[in-house]
Amino acid sequence: MLFAEKIKQLRDFRQMPQRQIAAALEIDTATYCKIEKGDRRAKREQVFILSELFECKHDELLKIWLADQIYDVVKNEKEASEVLNLVQENIVEYGKR
Amino acid sequence: MLFAEKIKQLRDFRQMPQRQIAAALEIDTATYCKIEKGDRRAKREQVFILSELFECKHDELLKIWLADQIYDVVKNEKEASEVLNLVQENIVEYGKR
DNA sequence: CTATATTTGCCAAATAATGTCAAGACAAAA
DNA sequence: TTTTGTCTTGACATTATTTGGCAAATATAG
């Protein structure tokens, strides 16, 4: 998962222990560990907090977080790319509802 | 939702009552109604059964079904398109895990 | 070795999803 | 207007999935 890798990279860069991040998110270090390993998904508010902690662009981190969720949907699909295109093509059409 | 519209269209074309479709899917007509209205999501196996009932390409129907799920993820996101591109670009990278 | 950091498995609580039933809306036919 | 059949909706129960913590196991330093 891109998100997991990203936050690990950010944390490593700043040499912060998981404990510290977990505290900021008000969760157990074990839980944070799982998020960083991609076993658990962070909540949207947590993405926001993380972007502040790591002083990185919130939008960018959020996009990665969303990308992971999308990937989950198509990861085992042979025609994943085509599905993504289908959404892209119909995104306006979808909006009409 | 594209899927909901699609199956309604297919059903209308063949002039089959919801009752009949529901029976084939072994669910209540109320449940099928919700699926057709986009209030409930069909299960993957049900997509298969539907494609047989309506004699349409299973792959095509499945793609629409998947597209809806993806749309659900990004529907309220300002940068939806960018997220889709991000996945598209990284789909190979993702595969490495 | 000791201390700290990270990871894992397992369980309980919270949340989300799925389906049914019962009641209501609607239209066509009698 | 009453009847019939279809479709729709909401409340509710059931089930599945997600989430977080605890405790134990495993690294990683110092």
Side-chain angles (χ1 to χ4, degrees):
Chain A
M1 300 289 98
L2 298 182
F3 185 80
E5 288 170 32
K6 184 67 178 179
I7 59 176
K8 168 152 182 54
Q9 182 190 313
L10 288 166
R11 185 176 66 81
D12 282 349
F13 180 67
R14 304 196 175 227
Q15 304 192 56
M16 299 163 94
Q18 291 186 341
R19 174 176 42 73
Q20 189 179 338
I21 317 297
L25 299 178
E26 299 180 276
I27 56 176
D28 195 292
T29 64
T31 302
Y32 176 73
C33 175
K34 284 165 192 166
I35 292 174
E36 201 176 276
K37 286 242 139 193
D39 294 335
R40 287 291 159 74
R41 192 189 317 282
K43 292 182 178 174
R44 184 181 258 264
E45 321 87 70
Q46 296 176 326
V47 177
F48 187 76
I49 296 173
L50 287 169
S51 68
E52 294 200 316
L53 269 180
F54 298 138
E55 299 177 73
C56 66
K57 291 210 181 93
H58 177 241
D59 281 5
E60 290 305 312
L61 203 52
L62 186 66
K63 273 192 250 180
I64 295 174
W65 179 74
L66 290 166
D68 276 358
Q69 291 178 56
I70 290 179
Y71 180 68
D72 274 344
V73 176
V74 292
K75 62 183 162 199
N76 296 312
E77 305 301 333
K78 206 177 45 179
E79 317 193 76
S81 266
E82 294 181 45
V83 176
L84 292 172
N85 288 331
L86 185 58
V87 180
Q88 196 76 273
E89 289 162 16
N90 284 283
I91 206 151
V92 180
E93 190 64 22
Y94 267 120
K96 294 180 182 166
R97 269 131 265 202
Chain B
M1 300 289 99
L2 299 182
F3 186 79
E5 287 170 33
K6 185 68 178 180
I7 59 176
K8 170 152 180 55
Q9 181 188 315
L10 288 165
R11 186 177 66 83
D12 282 349
F13 181 68
R14 303 191 176 231
Q15 304 192 56
M16 300 162 92
Q18 291 186 343
R19 175 177 42 71
Q20 189 179 336
I21 317 295
L25 299 178
E26 299 179 276
I27 54 176
D28 195 292
T29 65
T31 302
Y32 176 74
C33 176
K34 284 167 191 165
I35 292 174
E36 203 176 275
K37 286 246 145 191
D39 294 334
R40 288 279 196 288
R41 176 170 303 158
K43 291 182 179 175
R44 185 180 256 263
E45 321 86 70
Q46 296 176 326
V47 178
F48 187 75
I49 297 172
L50 287 169
S51 67
E52 295 200 314
L53 269 180
F54 298 138
E55 298 178 70
C56 67
K57 291 213 181 92
H58 176 242
D59 281 4
E60 291 306 312
L61 202 52
L62 185 66
K63 273 191 251 181
I64 295 174
W65 179 73
L66 289 167
D68 276 358
Q69 291 179 55
I70 290 178
Y71 180 68
D72 274 342
V73 176
V74 293
K75 62 183 163 199
N76 296 313
E77 305 301 334
K78 205 176 46 177
E79 317 193 76
S81 266
E82 295 180 44
V83 176
L84 292 173
N85 288 332
L86 186 57
V87 181
Q88 196 76 272
E89 289 162 17
N90 285 282
I91 205 153
V92 179
E93 190 64 22
Y94 267 120
K96 295 180 182 167
R97 270 133 265 207

